[in-house]
Amino acid sequence: MSTYVYGITAASHPSLPEGMGGVGDPSRPVRILRAGELAAVVSDAPEGLRPKRRELLAHQNVLSEIGAAGCVLPMRFGSVAPDDGSVTGVLTERAEHYLERLRALDGRVEYNVKANHVEDAVLHHVMAGNPEIRALAEANRQSGGGSYEDKIRLGEMVAAAVKAKESEDGAALEHALEGVADAVSVGPESTGWLANVSYLVRRETAEEFLSAVEQVRKDMPHLEVRLNGPLPPYSFVEPGPAEPAGTAAGGTDAEAG
């Protein structure tokens, strides 16, 4: 049977609670595989596993339990190896990388911040800050709506100004928060958000980070700011050397939202 991998810890990490279950229906018992200074938290992998809410939560709950007792390198949902030996082989081959990551991430959590414009508020900003757009909008209004060409031109000007404002506000949000984080990981642009940024934060300074997020909300009320965390530091496990062929394969991120 193949092996499902939840995360990687130091071999000295405290033991798991008795009878902990993971993914699958019924849930598969969670166990530990050790290799040198490292350990992997695993279970048997159920067949036909899909990223349903129940399974995503089971994966996340195992990681939360492990992380409460010490540093863990979280694997994405769906990380499966052919067998236990493949997992311990990866631990051995990538030991230097994993040990470095455990040291770097110890005592730290991830917060993900996403932001988008509040439509009416950003249009007000765009109109207030661009005399040319204001003038054309007023000319169109006085002429009963303006010609087809003028309407198209106004729409294009507004769209371009909003796009520029998205870029400006995304950079401003990232800059406002990076000073209270140890590291920053910018998510892919094709997410539907003007900003999608993960921050690595020390547990003892989490309140300072949360206060900074609230300050951003006050300073930029035209933004909808969504905060998710604390999370296991998914975005900061890599980069690292490629996994040996035929071993654990990354799956879907267990983070919701």
Side-chain angles (χ1 to χ4, degrees):
M1 180 174 287
S2 54
T3 302
Y4 187 96
V5 186
Y6 299 88
I8 295 169
T9 70
S12 58
H13 194 280
S15 298
L16 296 172
E18 189 73 26
M20 174 183 280
V23 297
D25 187 13
S27 62
R28 304 305 196 263
V30 177
R31 50 197 172 81
I32 301 292
L33 298 176
R34 288 184 172 82
E37 297 179 70
L38 294 169
V41 181
V42 306
S43 68
D44 291 344
E47 292 193 15
L49 184 66
R50 296 290 181 269
K52 297 179 180 179
R53 178 173 175 79
R54 179 188 179 283
E55 303 294 5
L56 293 170
L57 287 175
H59 179 96
Q60 189 70 35
N61 287 342
V62 171
L63 286 172
S64 295
E65 189 71 39
I66 306 164
C71 188
V72 57
L73 305 181
M75 297 295 105
R76 305 286 182 173
F77 177 85
S79 294
V80 177
D83 51 39
D84 287 2
S86 298
V87 176
T88 55
V90 171
L91 294 182
T92 300
E93 292 185 37
R94 304 189 67 187
E96 183 177 350
H97 167 67
Y98 287 139
L99 289 168
E100 184 278 327
R101 287 290 80 198
L102 284 168
R103 288 190 294 269
L105 300 179
D106 190 27
R108 294 163 174 83
V109 292
E110 176 175 333
Y111 285 91
N112 177 258
V113 178
K114 293 183 173 70
N116 244 338
H117 279 143
V118 177
E119 186 174 356
D120 290 345
V122 76
L123 288 176
H124 174 77
H125 268 264
V126 165
M127 296 293 286
N130 192 311
E132 188 178 359
I133 290 178
R134 286 203 311 276
L136 181 56
E138 179 61 21
N140 285 358
R141 187 187 66 79
Q142 291 184 2
S143 63
S147 67
Y148 175 77
E149 290 77 12
D150 284 341
K151 290 178 181 177
I152 293 295
R153 180 169 169 245
L154 178 61
E156 290 175 343
M157 289 173 64
V158 170
V162 168
K163 186 70 176 175
K165 186 65 174 167
E166 286 180 351
S167 211
E168 174 188 331
D169 286 341
L173 181 147
E174 183 179 338
H175 178 71
L177 298 177
E178 63 187 4
V180 287
D182 282 5
V184 178
S185 176
V186 179
E189 293 183 4
S190 58
T191 59
W193 299 89
L194 67 84
N196 176 19
V197 188
S198 290
Y199 296 88
L200 186 67
V201 178
R202 294 175 185 268
R203 290 182 187 273
E204 62 264 31
T205 62
E207 286 302 320
E208 182 182 353
F209 179 82
L210 297 176
S211 295
V213 172
E214 288 307 311
Q215 190 62 49
V216 166
R217 287 175 169 148
K218 291 177 183 177
D219 294 343
M220 306 174 77
H222 59 290
L223 289 185
E224 173 200 355
V225 179
R226 182 179 298 181
L227 176 68
N228 193 13
L231 302 165
Y234 288 105
S235 302
F236 302 94
V237 175
E238 300 295 350
E243 293 176 352
T247 58
T252 306
D253 192 342
E255 175 199 337

